[in-house]
Protein backbone atom coordinates (compact mmCIF):
# COMPACT_ATOMS: atom_id res chain seq x y z
CA UNK A 1 0.00 0.00 0.00
CA UNK A 2 1.51 3.33 -1.07
CA UNK A 3 0.62 6.40 1.00
CA UNK A 4 1.67 9.74 -0.46
CA UNK A 5 1.49 12.95 1.51
CA UNK A 6 3.04 15.25 -1.10
CA UNK A 7 1.64 16.06 -4.51
CA UNK A 8 5.06 15.87 -6.19
CA UNK A 9 5.36 12.22 -5.07
CA UNK A 10 1.95 11.15 -6.32
CA UNK A 11 2.37 13.17 -9.52
CA UNK A 12 5.48 11.09 -10.38
CA UNK A 13 3.57 7.87 -9.86
CA UNK A 14 0.61 9.17 -11.91
CA UNK A 15 3.04 9.93 -14.77
CA UNK A 16 4.28 6.33 -14.71
CA UNK A 17 0.71 4.96 -14.67
CA UNK A 18 -0.28 7.18 -17.61
CA UNK A 19 2.86 6.14 -19.52
CA UNK A 20 1.63 2.53 -19.29
CA UNK A 21 -1.77 3.61 -20.65
CA UNK A 22 -3.56 2.37 -17.53
CA UNK A 23 -6.82 4.00 -16.44
CA UNK A 24 -7.14 5.67 -13.04
CA UNK A 25 -10.24 5.39 -10.87
CA UNK A 26 -10.40 8.01 -8.14
CA UNK A 27 -12.36 8.03 -4.89
CA UNK A 28 -12.01 11.37 -3.08
CA UNK A 29 -12.81 11.13 0.65
CA UNK A 30 -12.34 12.97 3.90
CA UNK A 31 -11.35 9.72 5.60
CA UNK A 32 -13.00 7.98 8.57
CA UNK A 33 -13.82 5.38 5.97
CA UNK A 34 -16.86 3.13 6.26
CA UNK A 35 -18.55 0.52 4.09
CA UNK A 36 -20.07 3.25 1.94
CA UNK A 37 -16.59 4.42 0.91
CA UNK A 38 -15.47 0.83 0.39
CA UNK A 39 -18.41 0.28 -1.96
CA UNK A 40 -17.16 3.25 -4.03
CA UNK A 41 -13.72 1.63 -4.19
CA UNK A 42 -15.34 -1.68 -5.23
CA UNK A 43 -17.18 0.16 -7.97
CA UNK A 44 -13.91 1.81 -9.07
CA UNK A 45 -12.22 -1.57 -9.40
CA UNK A 46 -14.91 -2.62 -11.90
CA UNK A 47 -13.85 -0.13 -14.55
CA UNK A 48 -10.42 1.28 -13.75
CA UNK A 49 -6.93 -0.30 -13.68
CA UNK A 50 -5.41 1.67 -10.82
CA UNK A 51 -7.34 3.02 -7.84
CA UNK A 52 -6.41 6.20 -6.00
CA UNK A 53 -8.20 7.19 -2.77
CA UNK A 54 -7.59 10.65 -1.34
CA UNK A 55 -8.01 11.24 2.36
CA UNK A 56 -8.16 14.91 3.19
CA UNK A 57 -10.38 16.84 5.59
CA UNK A 58 -10.81 19.94 3.46
CA UNK A 59 -10.98 23.06 5.67
CA UNK A 60 -12.49 25.36 3.03
CA UNK A 61 -15.75 23.40 2.80
CA UNK A 62 -16.55 23.72 6.53
CA UNK A 63 -18.59 26.73 7.59
CA UNK A 64 -18.38 25.61 11.22
CA UNK A 65 -14.94 25.63 12.89
CA UNK A 66 -16.02 23.25 15.65
CA UNK A 67 -17.30 20.73 13.07
CA UNK A 68 -13.94 20.90 11.25
CA UNK A 69 -12.03 20.41 14.50
CA UNK A 70 -14.13 17.42 15.52
CA UNK A 71 -14.24 15.73 12.12
CA UNK A 72 -12.75 12.23 12.69
CA UNK A 73 -9.19 11.70 11.42
CA UNK A 74 -8.27 8.02 11.36
CA UNK A 75 -5.60 7.59 8.67
CA UNK A 76 -4.06 4.39 10.07
CA UNK A 77 -7.40 2.60 10.40
CA UNK A 78 -8.44 3.89 6.96
CA UNK A 79 -5.26 2.51 5.38
CA UNK A 80 -5.88 -0.87 7.03
CA UNK A 81 -9.46 -0.94 5.75
CA UNK A 82 -8.32 -0.16 2.22
CA UNK A 83 -5.57 -2.77 2.36
CA UNK A 84 -8.26 -5.34 3.22
CA UNK A 85 -9.61 -4.66 -0.30
CA UNK A 86 -6.26 -4.52 -2.09
CA UNK A 87 -2.67 -3.65 -1.36
CA UNK A 88 -2.40 -1.95 -4.74
CA UNK A 89 -4.63 0.99 -3.81
CA UNK A 90 -2.75 4.29 -3.79
CA UNK A 91 -3.61 6.65 -0.94
CA UNK A 92 -3.06 10.37 -1.25
CA UNK A 93 -3.32 11.96 2.19
CA UNK A 94 -1.93 15.48 1.75
CA UNK A 95 -1.41 18.16 4.36
CA UNK A 96 -3.37 21.41 4.14
CA UNK A 97 -0.21 23.19 2.95
CA UNK A 98 0.43 20.63 0.21
CA UNK A 99 -2.99 21.41 -1.26
CA UNK A 100 -3.32 25.11 -0.47
CA UNK A 101 0.32 26.30 -0.60
CA UNK A 102 -0.11 28.46 2.49
CA UNK A 103 -3.30 30.15 1.19
CA UNK A 104 -6.23 28.21 2.62
CA UNK A 105 -9.06 29.90 0.75
CA UNK A 106 -11.68 28.62 -1.66
CA UNK A 107 -12.02 29.78 -5.24
CA UNK A 108 -15.41 31.09 -6.27
CA UNK A 109 -17.52 28.98 -8.64
CA UNK A 110 -20.82 29.29 -10.44
CA UNK A 111 -22.70 26.02 -10.73
CA UNK A 112 -25.67 27.55 -12.56
CA UNK A 113 -27.73 27.91 -9.41
CA UNK A 114 -27.31 24.37 -8.07
CA UNK A 115 -25.10 25.83 -5.35
CA UNK A 116 -27.83 28.08 -3.93
CA UNK A 117 -30.26 25.32 -2.97
CA UNK A 118 -30.39 23.22 0.22
CA UNK A 119 -26.84 22.70 1.54
CA UNK A 120 -25.81 25.91 -0.21
CA UNK A 121 -28.42 27.83 1.81
CA UNK A 122 -27.50 26.32 5.14
CA UNK A 123 -23.70 26.01 4.76
CA UNK A 124 -22.29 29.29 3.46
CA UNK A 125 -19.43 28.80 0.97
CA UNK A 126 -19.59 25.01 1.25
CA UNK A 127 -19.70 24.29 -2.48
CA UNK A 128 -16.93 26.78 -3.30
CA UNK A 129 -14.80 24.71 -0.90
CA UNK A 130 -15.90 21.42 -2.46
CA UNK A 131 -15.35 22.75 -6.01
CA UNK A 132 -11.88 24.03 -5.07
CA UNK A 133 -10.65 20.80 -3.55
CA UNK A 134 -12.19 18.46 -6.11
CA UNK A 135 -10.78 20.48 -9.03
CA UNK A 136 -7.32 20.53 -7.43
CA UNK A 137 -7.44 16.82 -6.70
CA UNK A 138 -8.51 16.09 -10.29
CA UNK A 139 -5.58 18.18 -11.53
CA UNK A 140 -3.14 16.23 -9.37
CA UNK A 141 -4.56 12.69 -9.73
CA UNK A 142 -5.72 13.04 -13.36
CA UNK A 143 -8.34 10.32 -13.05
CA UNK A 144 -10.27 8.80 -15.95
CA UNK A 145 -13.20 8.02 -13.64
CA UNK A 146 -14.21 9.51 -10.28
CA UNK A 147 -16.76 8.03 -7.88
CA UNK A 148 -19.15 9.91 -5.62
CA UNK A 149 -21.87 8.65 -3.29
CA UNK A 150 -25.41 9.86 -3.85
CA UNK A 151 -25.94 10.52 -0.15
CA UNK A 152 -24.45 13.88 -1.06
CA UNK A 153 -26.66 14.09 -4.14
CA UNK A 154 -26.34 17.87 -4.46
CA UNK A 155 -22.54 17.54 -4.30
CA UNK A 156 -22.69 14.82 -7.00
CA UNK A 157 -24.71 17.15 -9.30
CA UNK A 158 -22.34 20.04 -8.58
CA UNK A 159 -19.26 17.97 -9.39
CA UNK A 160 -20.88 16.95 -12.70
CA UNK A 161 -21.48 20.65 -13.39
CA UNK A 162 -17.87 21.50 -12.41
CA UNK A 163 -16.57 18.93 -14.90
CA UNK A 164 -18.91 20.16 -17.64
CA UNK A 165 -18.17 23.87 -17.15
CA UNK A 166 -14.39 23.46 -16.83
CA UNK A 167 -14.22 20.73 -19.45
CA UNK A 168 -12.30 18.40 -17.15
CA UNK A 169 -11.47 15.07 -18.79
CA UNK A 170 -12.98 12.83 -16.13
CA UNK A 171 -16.13 10.71 -16.03
CA UNK A 172 -18.21 11.20 -12.88
CA UNK A 173 -19.90 8.08 -11.60
CA UNK A 174 -22.65 8.32 -8.97
CA UNK A 175 -23.01 5.37 -6.60
CA UNK A 176 -26.10 4.39 -4.63
CA UNK A 177 -26.42 5.28 -0.94
CA UNK A 178 -25.02 2.65 1.40
CA UNK A 179 -27.16 2.12 4.51
CA UNK A 180 -26.85 0.44 7.90
CA UNK A 181 -29.28 -2.48 8.28
CA UNK A 182 -31.57 -0.10 10.21
CA UNK A 183 -31.69 2.23 7.19
CA UNK A 184 -29.42 5.01 8.45
CA UNK A 185 -27.34 6.34 5.56
CA UNK A 186 -23.67 5.58 6.18
CA UNK A 187 -21.63 8.64 7.05
CA UNK A 188 -18.32 9.32 8.77
CA UNK A 189 -20.32 11.51 11.16
CA UNK A 190 -22.31 8.50 12.43
CA UNK A 191 -19.36 7.44 14.57
CA UNK A 192 -19.80 10.64 16.59
CA UNK A 193 -23.45 9.90 17.44
CA UNK A 194 -24.14 9.24 21.13
CA UNK A 195 -26.08 6.05 21.87
CA UNK A 196 -29.61 7.55 22.13
CA UNK A 197 -29.11 9.57 18.97
CA UNK A 198 -27.73 6.60 17.09
CA UNK A 199 -30.87 4.68 18.03
CA UNK A 200 -33.10 7.58 16.99
CA UNK A 201 -31.37 8.39 13.68
CA UNK A 202 -32.98 5.60 11.52
CA UNK A 203 -36.19 7.66 11.91
CA UNK A 204 -34.78 9.88 9.16
CA UNK A 205 -34.85 7.20 6.46
CA UNK A 206 -38.11 5.74 7.79
CA UNK A 207 -39.70 9.16 7.32
CA UNK A 208 -38.20 9.53 3.84
CA UNK A 209 -39.71 6.18 2.82
CA UNK A 210 -43.14 7.21 4.13
CA UNK A 211 -42.81 10.56 2.36
CA UNK A 212 -42.12 8.71 -0.89
CA UNK A 213 -45.28 6.65 -0.45
CA UNK A 214 -47.35 9.74 0.28
CA UNK A 215 -45.88 11.59 -2.73
CA UNK A 216 -47.69 9.06 -4.94
CA UNK A 217 -51.09 10.51 -3.98
CA UNK A 218 -50.49 13.82 -2.23
CA UNK A 219 -49.13 17.23 -3.24
CA UNK A 220 -45.52 18.19 -2.42
CA UNK A 221 -46.88 20.80 0.00
CA UNK A 222 -48.92 18.20 1.91
CA UNK A 223 -45.96 15.79 2.10
CA UNK A 224 -43.68 18.56 3.40
CA UNK A 225 -46.23 19.53 6.06
CA UNK A 226 -46.51 15.90 7.13
CA UNK A 227 -42.72 15.48 7.48
CA UNK A 228 -42.33 18.76 9.36
CA UNK A 229 -45.04 17.65 11.74
CA UNK A 230 -43.39 14.24 12.30
CA UNK A 231 -40.15 15.97 13.33
CA UNK A 232 -41.81 18.63 15.44
CA UNK A 233 -42.99 15.77 17.67
CA UNK A 234 -39.56 14.13 17.86
CA UNK A 235 -37.66 14.43 21.15
CA UNK A 236 -34.09 13.95 19.87
CA UNK A 237 -33.99 14.89 16.19
CA UNK A 238 -34.31 18.47 14.94
CA UNK A 239 -35.27 19.02 11.33
CA UNK A 240 -33.21 21.64 9.50
CA UNK A 241 -34.90 21.22 6.14
CA UNK A 242 -37.05 18.81 4.18
CA UNK A 243 -37.38 19.71 0.52
CA UNK A 244 -38.92 18.05 -2.50
CA UNK A 245 -36.99 19.12 -5.57
CA UNK A 246 -36.63 18.55 -9.28
CA UNK A 247 -33.77 16.04 -9.49
CA UNK A 248 -32.04 17.94 -12.32
CA UNK A 249 -32.34 21.58 -11.24
CA UNK A 250 -32.64 20.91 -7.49
CA UNK A 251 -35.29 23.65 -7.41
CA UNK A 252 -38.11 23.07 -4.91
CA UNK A 253 -41.24 21.56 -6.46
CA UNK A 254 -44.35 23.67 -6.54
CA UNK A 255 -46.52 21.63 -8.88
CA UNK A 256 -45.79 18.00 -9.82
CA UNK A 257 -45.28 17.12 -13.47
CA UNK A 258 -45.34 13.53 -14.75
CA UNK A 259 -42.39 14.28 -17.03
CA UNK A 260 -39.99 15.20 -14.22
CA UNK A 261 -38.04 13.18 -11.68
CA UNK A 262 -38.22 14.30 -8.09
CA UNK A 263 -36.14 13.66 -5.01
CA UNK A 264 -36.73 14.44 -1.35
CA UNK A 265 -33.80 15.91 0.59
CA UNK A 266 -33.45 16.15 4.32
CA UNK A 267 -31.00 17.59 6.88
CA UNK A 268 -31.43 16.79 10.55
CA UNK A 269 -29.52 17.58 13.73
CA UNK A 270 -29.01 14.66 16.10
CA UNK A 271 -27.61 16.62 19.04
CA UNK A 272 -24.78 18.61 17.40
CA UNK A 273 -24.27 16.10 14.58
CA UNK A 274 -25.75 17.12 11.26
CA UNK A 275 -27.04 14.24 9.13
CA UNK A 276 -28.28 14.41 5.55
CA UNK A 277 -30.10 11.91 3.38
CA UNK A 278 -32.29 11.80 0.27
CA UNK A 279 -34.59 9.51 -1.68
CA UNK A 280 -35.77 9.31 -5.28
CA UNK A 281 -39.54 9.81 -5.31
CA UNK A 282 -40.60 8.67 -8.78
O1 LIG B 1 -17.88 13.98 0.06
C1 LIG B 1 -16.79 14.22 0.61
O2 LIG B 1 -16.27 13.42 1.40
C2 LIG B 1 -16.08 15.53 0.33
O3 LIG B 1 -16.98 16.56 0.14
C3 LIG B 1 -15.11 15.44 -0.84
C4 LIG B 1 -15.80 15.15 -2.15
C5 LIG B 1 -14.06 14.38 -0.56
C6 LIG B 1 -14.37 16.78 -1.01
O4 LIG B 1 -13.67 17.13 0.14
Amino acid sequence: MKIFTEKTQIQNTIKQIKAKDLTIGFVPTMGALHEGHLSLVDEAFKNSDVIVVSIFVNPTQFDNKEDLKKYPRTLEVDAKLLSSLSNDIIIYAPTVDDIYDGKTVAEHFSFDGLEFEMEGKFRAGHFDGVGTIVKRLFEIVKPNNAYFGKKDFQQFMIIKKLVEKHQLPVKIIGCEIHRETNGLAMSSRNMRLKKDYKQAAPFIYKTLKSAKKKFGTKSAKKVIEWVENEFSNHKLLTLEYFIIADQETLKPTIRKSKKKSYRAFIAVYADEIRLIDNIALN
Side-chain angles (χ1 to χ4, degrees), residues 28-30 37 54 56 58 61 71 126 130 133-134 137 148 152 155 159:
T29 81
M30 296 207 297
H37 294 112
S54 65
F56 179 64
N58 173 35
Q61 70 187 75
Y71 202 88
H126 173 65
V130 170
I133 184 63
V134 171
L137 289 170
F148 292 86
D152 300 292
Q155 170 174 278
I159 306 283

Side-chain angles (χ1 to χ4, degrees), residues 23-276:
T23 56
I24 297 175
F26 180 41
V27 181
T29 81
M30 296 207 297
L33 303 183
H34 49 69
E35 276 178 48
H37 294 112
L38 300 189
S39 73
L40 299 182
V41 176
D42 275 341
E43 202 52 42
F45 268 115
K46 286 186 193 157
N47 45 20
S48 306
D49 301 317
V50 178
I51 310 305
V52 177
V53 176
S54 65
I55 296 179
F56 179 64
V57 181
N58 173 35
T60 64
Q61 70 187 75
F62 284 79
D63 62 334
N64 178 330
K65 283 207 174 89
E66 211 39 37
D67 193 22
L68 170 62
K69 210 164 105 190
K70 289 189 177 157
Y71 202 88
R73 288 152 172 95
T74 56
L75 181 58
E76 252 177 58
V77 182
D78 292 345
K80 252 194 202 140
L81 263 180
L82 290 171
S83 68
S84 71
L85 295 184
S86 159
N87 262 323
D88 295 330
I89 296 170
I90 295 170
I91 299 178
Y92 177 41
T95 58
V96 172
D97 262 357
D98 190 56
I99 291 288
Y100 285 102
D101 292 324
K103 204 168 164 238
T104 317
V105 285
E107 292 162 49
H108 179 65
F109 291 92
S110 160
F111 298 116
D112 293 349
L114 293 174
E115 71 275 32
F116 300 129
E117 307 298 333
M118 302 178 293
E119 294 299 286
K121 277 200 182 120
F122 288 90
R123 301 180 70 188
H126 173 65
F127 288 118
D128 278 340
V130 170
T132 303
I133 184 63
V134 171
K135 188 161 170 283
R136 283 184 195 192
L137 289 170
F138 283 175
E139 282 158 4
I140 295 166
V141 176
K142 301 191 189 323
N144 301 79
N145 305 307
Y147 302 81
F148 292 86
K150 288 190 186 169
K151 180 176 76 66
D152 300 292
F153 190 85
Q154 186 175 13
Q155 170 174 278
F156 163 63
M157 295 298 283
I158 279 179
I159 306 283
K160 285 208 295 185
K161 186 63 84 181
L162 173 82
V163 164
E164 179 196 313
K165 289 192 99 167
H166 294 263
Q167 300 185 341
L168 306 176
V170 48
K171 184 172 171 200
I172 302 303
I173 297 166
C175 303
E176 288 315 314
I177 301 174
H178 226 71
R179 297 184 180 281
E180 311 273 356
T181 40
N182 61 20
L184 177 64
M186 286 195 187
S187 163
S188 304
R189 291 169 200 272
N190 294 355
M191 66 172 76
R192 288 177 53 208
L193 288 170
K194 289 183 201 135
K195 195 170 164 222
D196 287 0
Y197 291 92
K198 192 156 190 141
Q199 278 167 1
F203 182 76
I204 300 169
Y205 184 52
K206 194 168 156 251
T207 309
L208 282 183
K209 282 196 295 182
S210 303
K212 177 176 176 139
K213 237 187 215 162
K214 289 185 191 300
F215 190 71
T217 54
K218 293 190 183 346
S219 67
K221 188 166 175 274
K222 283 265 179 270
V223 178
I224 292 166
E225 279 168 8
W226 177 80
V227 171
E228 288 177 348
N229 189 48
E230 286 295 289
F231 276 92
S232 69
N233 295 326
H234 203 288
K235 288 196 182 74
L236 293 176
L237 303 176
T238 309
L239 182 66
E240 185 172 56
Y241 66 73
F242 172 80
I243 285 164
I244 294 178
D246 180 316
Q247 182 163 283
E248 292 306 313
T249 63
L250 304 183
K251 296 245 174 293
T253 310
I254 297 161
R255 191 166 299 140
K256 285 196 251 179
S257 151
K258 284 212 172 79
K259 290 186 199 135
K260 289 188 174 167
S261 298
Y262 297 102
R263 220 168 240 271
F265 296 87
I266 195 164
V268 170
Y269 275 96
D271 200 8
E272 71 202 40
I273 316 293
R274 189 171 181 277
L275 302 170
I276 61 169

